[in-house]
């Protein structure tokens, strides 16, 4: 008789008598030498596995569904039908919803800015007017060079004006004038009336002051090390502005550690500090976020953009979602994402001109510093600023030098001249040897070409 063990094959030749066969010792692996448990294909590589429809259905019905700030704010930007469908989904998800307190804080701080211009209509119309003016100038210049008759020139000009006026009228017809009144009276805001019962009891606790400061410090450390989430916002918002994403994430981690349920984040974010991306496509949550949630709470992380939430909720929750609502929501997300990707940081020549005109009146040294920084490749030193302003270098730290620039930039955002995501203009570099003293100022590189025109 031959016995085989996974440690190898040993053949026992039985050419002798049965007494010799009795001498053969059966080779059976001892219990303490059994093979170690192996790993699977996705063990340690869970971030590469695409969730199934069943997994999405499970997290929607029994997991923790977390809404990001942009999801709440974008409700003001959706069409009436898309907004109604999205609110129906939130009603159905209400028992599983959980909103980090930081999200609500950001919602209230940003809400009125969105209400003043939810669909960027004012900015769009202003840019159209500027482009019409430029086009008319080009036509008139070409007509002179081509010796075009005045009648033919007038016909071209009329055609252009008619086209622009038609587009302008269409944009204004789609503007929701009622939304702007919501800022003055929250009781008239029908969206708040819908959201209040949905979010009742679903918002997390506020951080105490000590915990808040500790997390701010930790968040800044992570941003400087480019640890997800939030590091993609540092350029536009600075460390103080970008740290908000980490606060949202940490509050989520704390709640997940308590309830021990899988987490679904619904967000309009589309940057690689939240997502794993391949050739510009969103493939799943950022690997660091997946691992950190598993280590802290022992649960899985899922993420969906708002339009995909409508798609999955329709099937998982048996909710009626009108045809076109998902596409409408996706268009809003795409439009806002495109603004964030503008090669000029959300600025144009007209907006730069208005900023500099204001600064020439209200803060002429800052205006001169911006112009000189552009000529010098995007940087101006402390000594150059002292010379421009005729400041005493021994007594002035240049503390608050960028404040009037930031104030006017924010006013331009509020008026819709530039998008809310438009980059700041001037950043401060600090002297490592003299604490609190600026060593110079860096101009946002995307603005340099606009300033040199």
């Amino acid at each position: 008789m031959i016995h085989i063990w996974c440690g190898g094959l040993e053949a026992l030749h039985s050419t002798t008598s049965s007494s010799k066969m009795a001498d053969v010792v059966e080779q059976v692996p001892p219990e303490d030498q059994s093979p170690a448990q192996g790993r699977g294909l996705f063990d340690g590589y869970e971030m590469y596995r695409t969730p199934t429809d069943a997994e999405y259905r499970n997290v929607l019905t029994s997991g923790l569904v977390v809404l990001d700030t942009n999801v709440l704010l974008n409700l003001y930007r959706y069409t009436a039908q898309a907004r109604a469908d999205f609110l129906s989904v939130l009603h159905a998800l209400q028992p599983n919803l959980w909103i980090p307190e930081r999200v609500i804080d950001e919602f209230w701080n940003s809400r009125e800015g969105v209400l003043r211009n939810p669909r960027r209509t004012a900015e769009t119309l202003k840019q159209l007017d500027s482009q019409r003016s430029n086009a008319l100038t080009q036509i008139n210049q070409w007509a002179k060079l081509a010796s075009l008759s005045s009648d033919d020139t007038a016909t071209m000009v009329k055609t252009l004006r008619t086209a622009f006026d038609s587009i302008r009228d269409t944009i204004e017809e789609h503007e929701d004038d009622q939304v702007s009144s919501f800022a003055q009276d929250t009781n008239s805001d029908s969206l708040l009336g819908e959201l209040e019962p949905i979010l009742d009891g679903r918002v997390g606790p506020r951080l105490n002051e000590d915990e808040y400061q500790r997390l701010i410090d930790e968040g800044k450390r992570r941003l400087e090390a480019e640890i997800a989430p939030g590091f993609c916002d540092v350029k536009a918002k600075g460390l103080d502005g970008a740290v908000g994403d980490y606060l949202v994430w940490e509050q989520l981690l704390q709640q997940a550690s308590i309830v021990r349920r899988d987490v679904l984040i619904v967000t309009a974010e589309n940057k690689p500090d939240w997502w794993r991306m391949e050739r510009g496509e969103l493939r799943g949550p950022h690997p660091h976020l997946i691992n950190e949630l598993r280590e802290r709470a022992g649960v899985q992380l899922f993420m969906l953009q708002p339009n995909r939430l409508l798609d999955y909720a329709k099937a998982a929750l048996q909710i009626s979602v009108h045809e076109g609502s998902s596409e409408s929501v996706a268009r809003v997300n795409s439009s806002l994402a495109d603004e964030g990707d503008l090669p000029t940081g959300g600025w144009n020549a007209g907006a730069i001109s208005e900023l500099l005109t204001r600064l020439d009146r209200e803060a002429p040294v800052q205006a001169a510093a911006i112009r000189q920084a552009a000529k010098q490749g995007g940087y101006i030193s402390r000594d150059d600023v002292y010379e421009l302003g005729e400041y005493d270098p021994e007594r002035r730290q240049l503390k608050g030098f960028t404040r009037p620039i930031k104030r006017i930039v924010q006013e331009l955002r509020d008026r819709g001249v530039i998008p809310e995501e438009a980059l700041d203009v001037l950043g401060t570099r600090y002297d490592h040897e003299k604490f609190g003293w600026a060593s110079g100022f860096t101009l946002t590189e995307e603005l340099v070409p606009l300033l040199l025109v």
Side-chain angles (χ1 to χ4, degrees), residues 226-241:
E226 295 193 353
I227 299 174
F231 60 80
C232 287
D233 293 334
V234 172
K235 187 173 184 179
K237 300 180 181 179
L239 289 176
D240 290 336

Side-chain angles (χ1 to χ4, degrees), residues 374-391:
K375 293 176 182 177
Q376 296 175 172
Y379 178 74
I380 183 169
S381 68
R382 173 177 57 199
D383 293 339
D384 289 339
V385 174
Y386 284 144
E387 184 176 344
L388 287 173
E390 299 180 352
Y391 300 144

Side-chain angles (χ1 to χ4, degrees), residues 40-97:
L41 177 63
F42 286 104
D43 290 339
Y45 298 92
E46 291 82 1
M47 70 286 294
Y48 293 106
R49 188 173 64 81
T50 303
T52 64
D53 289 350
E55 286 174 316
Y56 278 124
R57 183 166 54 251
N58 182 65
V59 75
L60 283 168
T61 55
S62 61
L64 202 63
V65 181
V66 180
L67 305 181
D68 197 3
T69 310
N70 48 51
V71 175
L72 299 178
L73 291 174
N74 284 350
L75 287 168
Y76 287 111
R77 299 181 169 116
Y78 297 158
T79 63
Q81 186 60 67
R83 183 186 304 133
D85 285 342
F86 206 94
L87 288 170
S88 294
V89 169
L90 296 186
H91 271 293
L93 289 172
Q94 203 267 353
N96 296 326
L97 286 179

Side-chain angles (χ1 to χ4, degrees), residues 125-431:
L125 293 176
K126 186 178 179 69
Q127 291 182 355
L128 279 175
D129 289 342
S130 176
Q131 290 167 8
R132 175 171 61 178
S133 178
N134 290 337
L136 289 171
T137 299
Q138 294 297 321
I139 287 174
N140 285 315
Q141 288 177 349
W142 176 83
K144 291 177 183 178
L145 293 172
S147 298
L148 205 66
S149 69
S150 58
D151 288 344
D152 287 342
T153 302
T155 298
M156 293 177 66
V157 168
K158 181 179 179 181
T159 300
L160 181 69
R161 288 186 184 278
T162 300
F164 269 97
D165 288 344
S166 176
I167 293 171
R168 213 177 195 286
D169 291 344
T170 301
I171 291 173
E172 290 177 336
E173 286 174 7
H174 286 80
E175 180 62 359
D176 188 352
D177 295 330
Q178 183 186 19
V179 170
S180 60
S181 67
F182 294 167
Q184 301 171 1
D185 182 5
T186 57
N187 295 306
S188 70
D189 187 340
S190 57
L191 176 58
L192 291 182
E194 294 267 18
L195 283 176
E196 188 174 11
I198 294 174
L199 301 185
D200 185 36
R202 314 315 302 167
V203 179
R206 184 184 295 272
L207 297 168
N208 65 53
E209 190 171 342
D210 290 341
E211 178 73 353
Y212 175 79
Q213 190 55 54
R214 183 186 70 79
L215 293 179
I216 288 290
D217 294 340
E218 171 62 10
K220 290 181 178 180
R221 181 196 69 79
R222 289 171 60 121
L223 290 174
E224 290 173 341
E226 295 193 353
I227 299 174
F231 60 80
C232 287
D233 293 334
V234 172
K235 187 173 184 179
K237 300 180 181 179
L239 289 176
D240 290 336
V243 78
D245 280 6
Y246 170 67
L247 295 179
V248 170
W249 174 244
E250 176 60 30
Q251 289 179 321
L252 182 158
L253 288 173
Q254 293 179 9
Q255 181 67 11
S257 299
I258 295 171
V259 299
R260 301 289 177 175
R261 290 155 63 187
D262 288 343
V263 173
L264 170 65
I265 298 176
V266 183
T267 179
E269 284 282 2
N270 68 341
K271 296 190 286 293
D273 57 345
W274 279 100
W275 294 89
R276 180 176 68 85
M277 304 181 71
E278 296 291 343
R279 298 182 180 180
E281 295 183 358
L282 309 183
R283 295 294 177 84
H286 191 288
H288 180 84
L289 303 181
I290 292 175
N291 293 334
E292 190 169 19
L293 180 64
R294 186 171 58 245
E295 291 170 3
R296 289 276 297 271
V299 297
Q300 285 185 272
L301 176 62
F302 301 84
M303 282 172 57
L304 287 174
Q305 290 201 301
N307 57 301
R308 298 296 289 154
L309 174 67
L310 289 181
D311 296 336
Y312 280 105
K314 180 178 180 180
L317 306 176
Q318 300 298 303
I319 292 178
S320 174
V321 175
H322 287 73
E323 185 176 354
S325 287
S326 177
E327 184 180 350
S328 175
V329 169
R331 281 197 298 267
V332 170
N333 295 344
S334 176
S335 173
L336 295 175
D338 289 344
E339 285 182 357
D341 293 335
L342 287 176
T344 54
W347 289 82
N348 55 55
I352 285 290
S353 177
E354 183 170 347
L355 170 66
L356 292 176
T357 299
R358 288 277 305 275
L359 287 173
D360 284 335
R361 293 197 309 264
E362 302 172 30
V365 178
Q366 282 81 351
I370 290 173
R371 291 187 175 100
Q372 185 162 331
K375 293 176 182 177
Q376 296 175 172
Y379 178 74
I380 183 169
S381 68
R382 173 177 57 199
D383 293 339
D384 289 339
V385 174
Y386 284 144
E387 184 176 344
L388 287 173
E390 299 180 352
Y391 300 144
D392 183 348
E394 298 299 323
R395 301 181 60 182
R396 179 151 184 171
Q397 295 177 271
L398 299 180
K399 186 176 182 179
F401 182 77
T402 61
R403 192 172 298 139
I405 302 173
K406 292 180 177 179
R407 172 177 54 79
I408 296 173
V409 168
Q410 189 55 52
E411 289 178 15
L412 295 178
R413 290 189 182 110
D414 292 342
R415 287 169 43 210
V417 176
I418 56 175
E420 196 68 32
E421 298 80 9
L423 301 180
D424 285 335
V425 175
L426 207 63
T428 307
R429 284 190 191 175
Y430 288 98
D431 192 327

